[in-house]
Amino acid sequence: MVLCVRARAKYELESASYLWLMVEPAMQGAAHRVAQASVVTNPTVASEYRQDLYGNTVRLFVLPQGQFTFEFNAQVQVEPNTGVPPGAFEHSPQELPTDASIYTLPSRYCQSDLLARMAIDEFGGLPPGGGRVRAIAAWVRQHVEYRYGTTDAMTSAYDTATERIGVCRDFAHLVIAFYRGLGIPARYISGYALGLEPPDFHGYAQVYLGCAWHNLDATCADERPALIPIAEGRDAADVAVATLWCRSNMVEQSVEVWCNT
Amino acid sequence: MVLCVRARAKYELESASYLWLMVEPAMQGAAHRVAQASVVTNPTVASEYRQDLYGNTVRLFVLPQGQFTFEFNAQVQVEPNTGVPPGAFEHSPQELPTDASIYTLPSRYCQSDLLARMAIDEFGGLPPGGGRVRAIAAWVRQHVEYRYGTTDAMTSAYDTATERIGVCRDFAHLVIAFYRGLGIPARYISGYALGLEPPDFHGYAQVYLGCAWHNLDATCADERPALIPIAEGRDAADVAVATLWCRSNMVEQSVEVWCNT
Amino acid sequence: MVLCVRARAKYELESASYLWLMVEPAMQGAAHRVAQASVVTNPTVASEYRQDLYGNTVRLFVLPQGQFTFEFNAQVQVEPNTGVPPGAFEHSPQELPTDASIYTLPSRYCQSDLLARMAIDEFGGLPPGGGRVRAIAAWVRQHVEYRYGTTDAMTSAYDTATERIGVCRDFAHLVIAFYRGLGIPARYISGYALGLEPPDFHGYAQVYLGCAWHNLDATCADERPALIPIAEGRDAADVAVATLWCRSNMVEQSVEVWCNT
Amino acid sequence: MVLCVRARAKYELESASYLWLMVEPAMQGAAHRVAQASVVTNPTVASEYRQDLYGNTVRLFVLPQGQFTFEFNAQVQVEPNTGVPPGAFEHSPQELPTDASIYTLPSRYCQSDLLARMAIDEFGGLPPGGGRVRAIAAWVRQHVEYRYGTTDAMTSAYDTATERIGVCRDFAHLVIAFYRGLGIPARYISGYALGLEPPDFHGYAQVYLGCAWHNLDATCADERPALIPIAEGRDAADVAVATLWCRSNMVEQSVEVWCNT
């Protein structure tokens, strides 16, 4: 399937500043390939790339004071999203590769140390494996209400476990914290999804089972038909779409994803 | 039934200070009558009484620097504890008397505003009344592990909802927060109980159903055979056994409750 | 000085429900007297009054499903607000009257137990009394930014101590928590104020010094010229303007206060 | 200077389990070189090594149920600890290398997003550079009391900012959160220190200034004479001395560091 992606934003900067932008998927991922892509900015400014510790590509800008807009366009070839196989097995700690081990530890928004007892209490009795992982996502979908505008950048899994309301980011943080609480590596993915209502940047989880990473989007019962990852990290703190080093105001932002057929 | 109660403590005060002590049950309560009681202190110091806003009696001391010990002894006639009648009805907000209304509001350790959605999600579907109130206590007993020494004076219902471990005080705070989240008046009682293991001061809840307050001790499945209230309040912050206004050290403390037969 | 007060709100109720309304000042207070007052509602519904534990008057309604509006109008004779006398003395715990003692304890939004060490660290070295109380308010005004729309009904003094941004309610909660952390009785007042920009319901503190309660509005360096208290309590949880027992939506709300000269 | 290090611990495992152990410094670091080292365990069990995402070496064990003890001994050649040069400059975000950038982001125990306003309020007016970094450590040392046994594994910088008491780990988390709140890369180091009283594993910070990482130990006014790093990470969650995957009990633990002269 070929998807078209367009992401736009306009910022008002109170002073000259730096911008880190993470809206561009890797050219080649496990389940996607970028056919063509472009970033246009106004004013036109030079940019350079850098890789972060997780292997994500960040685009760096030096911006003047005033308005700044960017528009990212891409055509991406995507394989259908398959979700977590119910039979995929959980690993013992000893078997985990290095880049999965790190994702068993607590992080800013996924305080798995605080949530481990709840995870064990609620899900410790289920048979390990993909079935349990899916059951946990179903639990979150059933017990947490999805409602736009109810949470903010400070809301964490610890809050959502009790407050039971939030958006995609909160759903992802909560399942990730539960998985880590059970020793299952889980990471946060920022990306694009087909069929979001309203359209926006998306956040979902990936879990490491059966020697592979699998997509887990706790916000929908069926699998999203297609997911395109932009960046991965321990939680949303690692994969912010835009980081600015000055007082600024986001005037507008829009994301569109559609099927090119 | 006639119970004997003995409570002792020794403090080391770094300077002269005030002490508020709340270890003495009211002479006459809804389900108890104090036959005889005495407080002995060393050094011997004068004290006076005062009533707080909730009608509890507080004993006030002015203490010199150094060691201070008190010993409280009492014989108390107690009616058997009957627990919450499964058929007792919940009141509409309009029917609540003033001194019950206040106990529907959030407090320091019972943040019912934060826990209301969880309460509604978990228990909103149960038929209102005493049966629901008991089911909530059973849920807490099943999902929270009782373990001495795991929590401290800063632990609140919001923590226990997720961390799922604690002592009597934490069990009481959590059920109180759930009840208030459903609009049911619930208050915290500090008191003495027969059969605690290890013996200690006790904390439990009371709920207002069917025009009366009922004991609810979430730490045991069967009813405690006998409970003697010392003081009531919105949560443990209101009914501290001892409050000192100086740096001090509690050297020892013991509580004994036995049946005088 | 004679002030005119008008408060209006419109709610959309998803079902029939109860409403507790606290917008009416006591007819006679320490520094005000209500000359005339009226509450008009649409639809017209009967109401009754009740006193809460703190002596506040609450108006109770039973409302049908659908839209509900109220408009409160009053003329109030007010004495000029004088603020905290720098020379007013702090009391020892033993001297405090019952209805002041309760206001030394922690509450839902004023976790003075958690903030006591910070209070002592920052202000413990200042000479006790009204001067210290004013210095603490000045510290909060200097270190916390006043900005509309940055906090919500869950924000507490514990958050504001670190996050350093908020509105009148947050300013009041933080000074109250600091005062209690130093053993100074402090309570939360909801009320009306002349000269708020934008006009709104107001929240401020009162402290007990020199055998009297004094107004302390941490949001302005000079004293507010006039303050009219509606209700007092341990924090904002006790004095909500309107409490509804159903899913509802506040469609609009406005407050006007002007000088009748 | 040559230091001898001995670290011992005994665990009681309720079942067979995995152990990740991080007590061994890298053979060669920026300011140390390990002359000889050994790990002895009882029972004797095989182990293997793995590198984590930050480049730390973790030793992995599969342990039987029952008691397990390890003893680590090493002789380490250490350069004197020099601390942060007052004149070292802060970098712009654009200049930061990848492995420093990650350390500007919030993490589990260093919620720099929540603490940024406090950091800017308290320290934003100081001239950037090593002098400011040292002033922040001095502020923490002055405002936070060092006291053993007051905090636990759940205490974070957000707590310490207000509660103002803790141990080395808490001091490190708080300065790290402040540095990140100002855009200065800061990471957490677990290690050994000469002269700790009582002796224990140590935790301190490193900051990235003037193209280099510098030690910053907020628990002492003078520089520690010698610091030996074991592992680095975003906070203490990344560098736990021992991680066990079963219910277990630490029976004893001791650390000794002495000068071999």
Side-chain angles (χ1 to χ4, degrees), chain C residues 2 10 29 63 69 71 74 80 116 140 143 145 153 155-156 167 182 191 253 255:
Chain C
V2 175
K10 181 191 287 189
L63 302 182
T69 63
E71 176 170 326
V140 168
H143 288 277
E145 182 185 344
T155 307
S156 71
V167 297
L182 296 167
Q253 178 179 290
V255 174

Side-chain angles (χ1 to χ4, degrees), chain C:
Chain C
M1 166 171 29
V2 175
L3 296 187
C4 294
V5 170
R6 176 176 300 144
R8 277 190 278 217
K10 181 191 287 189
Y11 301 92
E12 189 79 44
L13 283 70
E14 293 190 13
S15 58
S17 181
Y18 300 94
L19 168 65
W20 291 0
L21 193 66
M22 275 207 273
V23 298
E24 299 162 78
M27 293 306 288
Q28 176 71 57
H32 77 271
R33 197 178 57 75
V34 175
Q36 44 173 271
S38 66
V39 171
V40 177
T41 69
N42 182 4
T44 306
V45 283
S47 65
E48 47 179 291
Y49 285 103
R50 186 175 306 163
Q51 276 216 327
D52 73 10
L53 193 65
Y54 303 104
N56 304 307
T57 299
V58 187
R59 193 190 275 254
L60 314 178
F61 293 92
V62 185
L63 302 182
Q65 186 237 338
Q67 276 198 355
F68 174 78
T69 63
F70 74 84
E71 176 170 326
F72 170 66
N73 276 280
Q75 283 198 18
V76 186
Q77 175 76 34
V78 196
E79 290 171 37
N81 175 33
T82 51
V84 178
F89 58 91
E90 297 182 15
H91 293 268
S92 76
Q94 222 70 352
E95 299 164 354
L96 292 175
T98 294
D99 57 352
S101 291
I102 190 89
Y103 291 115
T104 61
L105 297 176
S107 63
R108 168 68 183 90
Y109 297 112
C110 303
Q111 304 97 328
S112 44
D113 54 324
L114 293 172
L115 285 154
R117 293 184 59 85
M118 182 172 175
I120 292 166
D121 174 46
E122 297 281 354
F123 313 114
L126 301 179
R132 169 155 84 165
V133 161
R134 293 168 73 110
I136 292 171
W139 187 97
V140 168
R141 209 159 40 240
Q142 183 190 335
H143 288 277
V144 181
E145 182 185 344
Y146 188 97
R147 205 188 310 168
Y148 234 65
T150 53
T151 53
D152 61 25
M154 291 172 181
T155 307
S156 71
Y158 191 66
D159 302 316
T160 308
T162 307
E163 296 170 20
R164 306 269 167 115
I165 197 164
V167 297
C168 61
R169 164 190 167 110
D170 306 302
F171 279 61
H173 284 157
L174 185 53
V175 292
I176 290 170
F178 283 150
Y179 296 145
R180 293 183 190 165
L182 296 167
I184 303 168
R187 63 190 184 191
Y188 185 93
I189 310 291
S190 72
Y192 299 101
L194 184 63
L196 284 191
E197 196 42 51
D200 201 345
F201 290 103
H202 196 43
Y204 55 96
Q206 283 186 343
V207 293
Y208 190 80
L209 293 176
C211 301
W213 289 101
H214 304 277
N215 293 326
L216 194 297
D217 183 348
T219 58
C220 69
D222 306 318
E223 304 306 333
R224 296 266 171 226
L227 292 167
I228 305 171
I230 299 170
E232 68 196 39
R234 291 169 69 167
D235 56 32
D238 290 341
V239 296
V241 163
T243 308
L244 276 161
W245 267 260
C246 69
R247 289 177 82 109
S248 63
N249 197 17
M250 189 173 76
V251 182
E252 56 182 67
Q253 178 179 290
S254 71
V255 174
E256 293 160 89
V257 179
W258 69 97
C259 217
N260 186 27
T261 49

Side-chain angles (χ1 to χ4, degrees), chain B residues 215-238:
Chain B
N215 292 328
L216 194 298
D217 183 348
T219 59
C220 68
D222 306 317
E223 304 305 333
R224 296 265 172 226
L227 293 167
I228 306 171
I230 299 170
E232 68 195 39
R234 290 169 70 166
D235 56 33
D238 290 341

Side-chain angles (χ1 to χ4, degrees), chain D residues 209-227:
Chain D
L209 293 176
C211 301
W213 289 101
H214 304 277
N215 292 328
L216 194 299
D217 183 348
T219 59
C220 70
D222 305 318
E223 305 306 333
R224 297 266 172 224
L227 292 166

Side-chain angles (χ1 to χ4, degrees), chain A residues 1 3 78-81 192-195 215 223-228 257:
Chain A
M1 166 171 28
L3 294 186
V78 196
E79 290 171 37
N81 175 32
Y192 299 102
L194 184 63
N215 292 329
E223 304 306 333
R224 297 265 172 224
L227 292 167
I228 306 171
V257 179

